[in-house]
Amino acid sequence: MSAEYDLTDSYIPDFDSRWSELTGDESQPDPSDAFVFKFHSVDEQLGPDQRWSTWLDVERGSRGPEPRPSWVVTEQAAIDTELGVLKTGKEADVFLVERAVDAIGDNPGRSVLMAAKRYRTEEHRSFHRSTAYVEGRRIRNSRDSRAMQKKTAHGRSVAAGQWAGAEWGALCQLWKAGVPVPYPVQVDGTELLMEFIDDGEGGAAPRLAQVRPSKELLGQYFEQVRHGMRELARAGLAHGDLSPYNILAQGDRIVMIDLPQVIDIVGNPKGMDFLLRDCHNMATWFTSRGLDVDDQELFADLLTMVF
């Protein structure tokens, strides 16, 4: 090796002495500045109503559509805490869940309330939806299809997951289309996590059937309902079970909920019947509150969006 490339100590540059020359900084560098580690203890003991966030445990397609709202907590260090029951239904129960992550270093703590809808398996339901809702749907996995027909334990589990998956798919599609529905956060088997629609005071927003809006607000509600139904129809869909009990009133905003049975208007042989029934249910309620709404006119308006 020539002297030009000799790497003995006498040829190693003294960077400490040349620091000011190289950087223009008269202060002396402290090598430890580049290696500062800060450790924060984390209590890994979870309570009986807690679990680690399942956000990264589910497949990418089982997480909410983008662009995601800023309130969605995606940190793996987040903890889910079950706070109580929001609603007990015939086929599913809805729980209030807080997903929170503590402040770590320079990262601030964050938390959000969500609604966790958990579908029961068939043997634990007190209600069985008509097969008319699922006409036109297909199960890709032949094993699952046979298990559902034989009503085995696996088949009952698949059926429950099918309803959760159907509502998940509907919420994702409709949220992206601008329909007033809760933002779907994630789905994991028979559990669907979604935006919690509150009343502005920490409680759950009331159902439309429970409110007595002013005449002006009643008109605003109807226009929002009609807009939502039109966007559904534009996508070739009908809610299939729309009523004032499946719509939340959050201040001056309405939100449609309970969508596992969304109907393909054209693909389902009874699609038109379901659409007309949705129109009749909503027209009847608004008329009873003093706003004259004709279900046939509403039905005809929606058909222009379908065809």
Side-chain angles (χ1 to χ4, degrees):
M1 179 179 293
S2 66
E4 182 180 357
Y5 297 98
D6 190 352
L7 297 181
T8 60
D9 290 344
S10 61
Y11 285 92
I12 296 177
D14 183 358
F15 286 113
D16 284 350
S17 63
R18 297 183 61 201
W19 177 261
S20 59
E21 175 186 341
L22 295 171
T23 66
D25 186 354
E26 297 295 334
S27 64
Q28 292 301 308
D30 184 350
S32 65
D33 288 343
F35 302 95
V36 177
F37 296 93
K38 296 181 180 180
F39 296 93
H40 301 269
S41 62
V42 176
D43 184 3
E44 295 189 358
Q45 297 298 318
L46 301 183
D49 296 322
Q50 292 183 314
R51 69 184 182 192
W52 291 106
S53 169
T54 55
W55 174 260
L56 292 181
D57 295 335
V58 300
E59 299 176 355
R60 184 180 298 274
S62 297
R63 302 174 203 152
E66 297 181 345
R68 297 188 181 106
S70 59
W71 54 261
V72 177
V73 176
T74 61
E75 287 85 348
Q76 183 69 353
I79 294 175
D80 293 347
T81 303
E82 193 167 303
L83 302 179
V85 179
L86 289 173
K87 174 194 172 187
T88 298
K90 296 178 179 179
E91 59 182 353
D93 298 321
V94 182
F95 299 82
L96 182 64
V97 172
E98 179 191 49
R99 176 166 287 177
V101 60
D102 292 335
I104 300 177
D106 296 330
N107 297 320
R110 299 201 302 140
S111 67
V112 64
L113 293 177
M114 300 181 294
K117 186 171 185 178
R118 297 167 187 163
Y119 280 86
R120 302 195 191 103
T121 54
E122 191 170 319
E123 71 269 26
H124 294 125
R125 296 183 188 181
S126 58
F127 169 73
H128 298 276
R129 290 188 181 273
S130 168
T131 55
Y133 284 111
V134 295
E135 290 189 47
R137 295 184 186 177
R138 295 290 182 269
I139 306 299
R140 293 184 179 180
N141 188 304
S142 58
R143 175 177 176 268
D144 290 346
S145 180
R146 290 194 300 270
M148 289 177 62
Q149 291 174 1
K150 295 179 180 179
K151 296 185 178 181
T152 64
H154 173 68
R156 290 191 293 268
S157 177
V158 170
Q162 183 187 29
W163 284 114
E167 183 159 22
W168 166 259
L171 285 172
C172 289
Q173 179 181 358
L174 299 178
W175 186 84
K176 289 188 290 186
V179 179
V181 297
Y183 176 77
V185 177
Q186 69 178 71
V187 65
D188 187 7
T190 60
E191 181 187 72
L192 173 60
L193 289 177
M194 68 189 89
E195 176 186 2
F196 171 57
I197 309 300
D198 64 17
D199 61 1
E201 299 179 358
R207 297 176 185 274
L208 187 60
Q210 300 173 306
V211 301
R212 296 294 183 270
S214 65
K215 187 174 182 179
E216 179 182 359
L217 185 55
L218 186 68
Q220 294 177 18
Y221 280 165
F222 175 69
E223 290 304 321
Q224 292 180 58
V225 169
R226 179 163 62 180
H227 167 74
M229 295 179 74
R230 282 172 63 91
E231 291 304 315
L232 272 163
R234 188 194 302 274
L237 303 172
H239 185 287
D241 194 26
L242 192 62
S243 78
Y245 293 95
N246 286 336
I247 297 177
L248 301 180
Q250 186 186 47
D252 58 2
R253 170 194 180 215
I254 64 97
V255 180
M256 296 179 177
I257 60 172
D258 293 338
L259 295 122
Q261 72 295 310
V262 164
I263 303 298
D264 185 321
I265 298 173
V266 177
N268 189 303
K270 297 183 180 179
M272 292 295 181
D273 295 334
F274 282 112
L275 179 62
L276 180 57
R277 189 176 70 178
D278 286 352
C279 292
H280 177 73
N281 289 343
M282 299 315 305
T284 299
W285 186 83
F286 278 102
T287 299
S288 71
R289 293 295 185 271
L291 186 67
D292 188 19
V293 177
D294 186 283
D295 59 349
Q296 295 295 329
E297 289 184 4
L298 179 58
F299 180 63
D301 179 39
L302 299 181
L303 289 183
T304 63
M305 308 301 294
V306 179
F307 302 102

